[in-house]
Amino acid sequence: MKHIRNFCIIAHIDHGKSTLADRLLQTTGTISDRDMQAQALDNMDLERERGITIKSHAIQMNYKFEGQEYVLNLIDTPGHVDFSYEVSRSIAACEGALLIVDATQGIEAQTISNLYLALEHDLEIIPILNKMDLPSANPEEVTDQIVELIGCDPNDVIPASGKTGLGVDDILRAIIERIPAPKGDEEGQLQAMIFDSVFNPFRGIIAYYRVKNGVIKKGDRVRFLNTGKDYNADEVGILKMDLSPKKEVRAGDVGYIISGIKTAKEVKVGDTITLTADPCEVPIKGFEDVKPMVFAGIYPVETDEYEELRYSMEKLQLNDSSLVFEPESSAALGFGFRCGFLGMLHMEIIQERLEREFNMTVITTVPNVSYYCYTTRNPEVKLLVNNPSELPDPSSLDHIEEPYIKAQVITKSEYIGQIMSLCIEKRGELKNQVYLTQDRVELSFEMPLAEIVFDFYDRLKSVSRGYASFDYHPIGYKTSDLIRMDILLNAEQLDALSALVHRSNAYDLGKRICVKLKELIPRQQFEIPIQAAIGAKIIARETIKALRKDVTAKCYGGDISRKRKLLEKQKEGKKRMRQVGKVEIPQEAFMAVLKLN
Ligand code: GDP
Ligand code: MG
């Protein structure tokens, strides 16, 4: 155990975590130069394309330092706020963290939120100033920021470049010299914490864990404490570039277990593995059942593809336990599923994976958060509502609660004004304002999560010209004056477009949604009224004028090939159209609320 070091890398997105991880793998010979493929750790296509790490992974490196062999376990963490629970578990599996800061950018929101997580778990922090090869690097100022933030000696900050390899040897030395070896009792009862799992189509679920105490052996009967289920440890081992089976994995080390588990749901990140025959009494602390934060309907474009969609979602769920779904039906869209996601990015990823990996064309409805409703008849009982159209009748409602978040924005001082007005417009309340340096400031807000779902990122980016980073975490539910706004198209209510909105901006929002829908829904053979309503009361109206002529009319009937082309083009355009009553509605219209001008 003395020669093991467990560490993670934390950084704001794009500060160079994956690149530096690759350099460490290369320098320690874990991966040969020939096999080196940019960003070896991000092995899902989608991750590589988007340049983000979605799932965390772990890898063991062997490194000889001053004549002594060391085992260095690098635990990679996802870099996006949607996956912050996974980040916290990965951090809990380590004794140290490399804190990477881009020397051209300085400290950003995720640098700070991840650092706080690491400090909560008493991790030894090794600050790294990355991208030193760039001429625009600003080492003095960024070093000051880091020193100010973590209270270290300026000499502790390691200048580095994932690109040129500068500083990599210093980083390896710091990992060995500064990060403490794991503590734990090899003779004690088995206690191993699961920090991640992956689905393998041939072997089932592979769970990754850090052994805190005891030893896990191949063939052991083990118990997952929080789910209470027992399994056979068919295979245990350590993680190299591939799985490397071993007879046992001992306290302090990081390993994997294969035990015939078929679905990701059974393996909960944060759960404790122990021996069935000699179980430890208390689970490792910090376990949480992750709850979806954002909900939306997913419907097949072709109604007869419902079963295929169900099959695809079940497959996706095998390797993504944070995806939840249940069947729902919509008067407008027919049969589909109400899905729960960790956040907006997670939602986009699921939609994209359905299309890429399963070749499904789907319609996603406006996302919403989940609400607690209290009725006047039974004010003690809270009802969880994940779909605005399921809201109890307003006359029977006592009050509604919605989820709130604490948000951190880091920006240049010149944008404070605009960002404050944006946050106030989004029903936020400024809680704190701290200057990190003369012209960089950290703003803390409390605001409703629902407002983040509705085009917050784009607005923030535009008011700050890109000079703002943002992070948040949930802080619980608060009472809000919310009402349901319905949308009627051609006098028919479109349930998929109903939304819960704050009473104070219902009129304005209703107007803007109608205008946007008018823009998005193509003109058809007849006039289509668009209305926004609260209960029976119409609060806004727009009209889509009827088309004068048939589109094919201008082909003079003669030119067949042109006519066919035009029809094919129309068909193409129809791909994401849904016929609702008499009206054809494109996918964008279902998301109109998110893209209001
Ligand atoms: P991550 O989001 O923290 O994993 O960041 P990546 O490792 O994906 O890097 C983000 C971008 O910065 C990529 O385009 C990298 O090629 C680039 N990058 C990373 N490290 C360096 C560096 O040290 N120098 C330079 N010039 N570019 C770098
Ligand atoms: Mg990355």
Side-chain angles (χ1 to χ4, degrees):
M1 233 185 328
K2 237 169 55 202
H3 302 117
I4 298 177
R5 298 291 180 272
N6 297 314
F7 69 104
C8 58
I9 308 182
I10 54 185
H12 191 73
I13 196 148
D14 278 346
H15 281 201
K17 188 174 80 175
S18 302
T19 310
L20 197 79
D22 287 349
R23 272 299 87 69
L24 294 176
L25 296 181
Q26 228 175 353
T27 308
T28 55
T30 311
I31 182 169
S32 68
D33 290 346
R34 194 170 51 99
D35 290 342
M36 192 70 207
Q37 193 184 4
Q39 307 201 346
L41 284 184
D42 298 346
N43 60 11
M44 195 149 77
D45 276 356
L46 200 60
E47 294 187 1
R48 200 169 290 149
E49 262 169 47
R50 293 188 167 223
I52 49 167
T53 308
I54 298 165
K55 291 292 285 181
S56 43
H57 304 271
I59 193 158
Q60 184 173 101
M61 299 176 266
N62 296 304
Y63 187 60
K64 202 166 183 169
F65 179 75
E66 295 180 345
Q68 175 63 50
E69 283 287 349
Y70 286 86
V71 168
L72 311 180
N73 291 309
L74 164 60
I75 296 174
D76 197 21
T77 56
H80 192 276
V81 36
D82 284 6
F83 306 98
S84 61
Y85 177 66
E86 289 186 17
V87 180
S88 87
R89 291 306 86 203
S90 304
I91 284 175
C94 301
E95 279 79 32
L98 308 182
L99 179 75
I100 299 186
V101 183
D102 183 331
T104 69
Q105 302 293 320
I107 283 164
E108 300 284 4
Q110 281 167 292
T111 321
I112 296 188
S113 54
N114 287 332
L115 174 71
Y116 287 165
L117 276 179
L119 292 174
E120 256 172 51
H121 290 96
D122 290 326
L123 263 51
E124 177 67 33
I125 309 292
I126 300 176
I128 293 166
L129 206 51
N130 195 32
K131 304 199 187 182
M132 286 296 287
D133 59 293
L134 291 174
S136 53
N138 192 350
E140 290 80 20
E141 193 191 315
V142 179
T143 301
D144 282 351
Q145 288 177 12
I146 294 173
V147 168
E148 180 81 3
L149 184 68
I150 59 180
C152 63
D153 189 295
N155 296 315
D156 290 345
V157 182
I158 303 174
S161 162
K163 191 158 190 175
T164 65
L166 170 80
V168 171
D169 290 332
D170 296 331
I171 293 171
L172 286 164
R173 167 187 286 270
I175 290 171
I176 288 165
E177 291 183 344
R178 295 195 219 163
I179 297 177
K183 293 188 193 75
D185 180 6
E186 283 194 11
E187 310 301 324
Q189 289 169 312
L190 175 64
Q191 245 189 341
M193 185 197 64
I194 300 174
F195 60 83
D196 197 10
S197 71
V198 293
F199 171 77
N200 179 299
F202 304 106
R203 318 214 49 191
I205 300 292
I206 305 170
Y208 299 164
Y209 54 80
R210 152 77 195 272
V211 187
K212 294 277 183 194
N213 295 305
V215 180
I216 184 168
K217 296 194 183 81
K218 180 184 161 84
D220 277 345
R221 188 83 185 147
V222 295
R223 174 167 302 164
F224 289 14
L225 271 185
N226 289 290
T227 62
K229 290 200 173 166
D230 290 348
Y231 304 96
N232 265 337
D234 298 334
E235 182 179 316
V236 299
I238 56 166
L239 300 142
K240 299 279 195 162
M241 282 310 283
D242 294 307
L243 301 178
S244 171
K246 298 277 176 217
K247 281 206 190 74
E248 57 179 39
V249 181
R250 312 182 70 83
D253 218 341
V254 172
Y256 73 91
I257 175 171
I258 297 176
S259 49
I261 300 174
K262 295 283 187 295
T263 74
K265 267 194 198 158
E266 285 179 59
V267 181
K268 298 200 182 285
V269 167
D271 204 348
T272 302
I273 306 176
T274 190
L275 290 181
T276 308
D278 182 21
C280 63
E281 258 151 49
V282 281
I284 294 166
K285 68 176 198 299
F287 174 76
E288 260 177 53
D289 233 338
V290 276
K291 289 191 194 66
M293 302 291 283
V294 172
F295 297 81
I298 292 190
Y299 291 83
V301 166
E302 303 295 338
T303 42
D304 59 1
E305 285 181 356
Y306 173 74
E307 280 306 325
E308 215 176 311
L309 179 59
R310 175 202 296 280
Y311 170 84
S312 311
M313 304 258 283
E314 278 168 358
K315 281 274 173 199
L316 267 183
Q317 202 180 39
L318 288 181
N319 63 30
D320 184 350
S321 59
S322 43
L323 167 68
V324 296
F325 63 92
E326 54 181 47
E328 78 169 357
S329 62
S330 143
L333 296 170
F335 291 105
F337 299 95
R338 177 104 309 214
C339 306
F341 310 98
L342 297 176
M344 294 297 282
L345 176 72
H346 188 215
M347 178 173 118
E348 277 176 44
I349 289 168
I350 294 294
Q351 190 179 351
E352 219 165 299
R353 290 186 66 190
L354 279 173
E355 310 212 322
R356 279 187 200 208
E357 293 167 33
F358 298 94
N359 209 11
M360 298 293 308
T361 325
V362 295
I363 284 187
T364 314
T365 65
V366 188
N368 59 266
V369 299
S370 60
Y371 301 91
Y372 283 123
C373 298
Y374 297 78
T375 56
T376 39
R377 253 182 64 198
N378 226 343
E380 272 81 59
V381 182
K382 57 181 181 186
L383 296 166
L384 185 69
V385 172
N386 291 334
N387 184 343
S389 65
E390 280 166 10
L391 195 71
D393 188 72
S395 60
S396 68
L397 266 180
D398 187 65
H399 67 283
I400 305 177
E401 289 176 348
E402 65 175 327
Y404 265 69
I405 54 158
K406 179 152 190 192
Q408 272 168 329
V409 176
I410 293 183
T411 190
K412 288 189 174 177
S413 41
E414 59 192 285
Y415 301 116
I416 293 179
Q418 274 113 313
I419 290 174
M420 295 234 278
S421 353
L422 172 65
C423 287
I424 288 162
E425 182 196 320
K426 296 283 188 183
R427 301 191 279 137
E429 196 186 320
L430 183 68
K431 286 291 176 187
N432 202 4
Q433 175 174 344
V434 181
Y435 277 84
L436 301 171
T437 57
Q438 229 172 21
D439 70 336
R440 278 172 81 75
V441 64
E442 180 191 354
L443 305 169
S444 309
F445 291 91
E446 284 182 14
M447 61 200 280
L449 173 65
E451 299 290 344
I452 306 293
V453 174
F454 293 149
D455 89 335
F456 182 80
Y457 290 98
D458 290 348
R459 291 284 305 283
L460 180 66
K461 216 162 148 187
S462 84
V463 300
S464 65
R465 296 171 202 275
Y467 286 111
S469 59
F470 172 74
D471 207 351
Y472 68 84
H473 62 268
I475 52 169
Y477 281 72
K478 290 189 187 182
T479 303
S480 269
D481 191 9
L482 301 172
I483 43 174
R484 194 175 95 196
M485 185 170 70
D486 298 319
I487 301 293
L488 288 77
L489 215 59
N490 210 18
E492 270 183 70
Q493 188 192 324
L494 212 67
D495 54 359
L497 284 176
S498 295
L500 283 193
V501 300
H502 196 259
R503 194 182 300 272
S504 65
N505 49 26
Y507 277 79
D508 177 52
L509 210 61
K511 178 81 197 156
R512 283 156 66 200
I513 291 174
C514 289
V515 170
K516 191 73 193 177
L517 285 173
K518 182 180 175 182
E519 227 175 82
L520 292 172
I521 298 175
R523 291 168 70 177
Q524 303 180 20
Q525 307 292 346
F526 46 91
E527 191 176 282
I528 307 166
I530 307 171
Q531 294 161 305
I534 289 171
K537 190 170 167 198
I538 303 295
I539 58 167
R541 175 185 167 126
E542 292 288 323
T543 308
I544 304 173
K545 293 229 172 66
L547 265 182
R548 288 254 177 75
K549 290 183 216 114
D550 193 314
V551 257
T552 53
K554 59 173 172 280
C555 297
Y556 313 112
D559 186 342
I560 293 288
S561 70
R562 248 186 89 188
K563 192 165 177 175
R564 186 175 299 140
K565 242 188 213 153
L566 197 62
L567 287 173
E568 255 160 33
K569 222 169 159 190
Q570 278 184 322
K571 216 167 118 196
E572 189 76 355
K574 233 182 245 171
K575 265 195 107 177
R576 267 173 202 283
M577 292 272 204
R578 262 317 266 276
Q579 180 92 28
V580 177
K582 279 167 68 188
V583 188
E584 295 231 292
I585 307 173
Q587 154 81 56
E588 299 84 69
F590 293 102
M591 302 286 253
V593 194
L594 303 185
K595 309 244 158 65
L596 297 178
N597 324 60

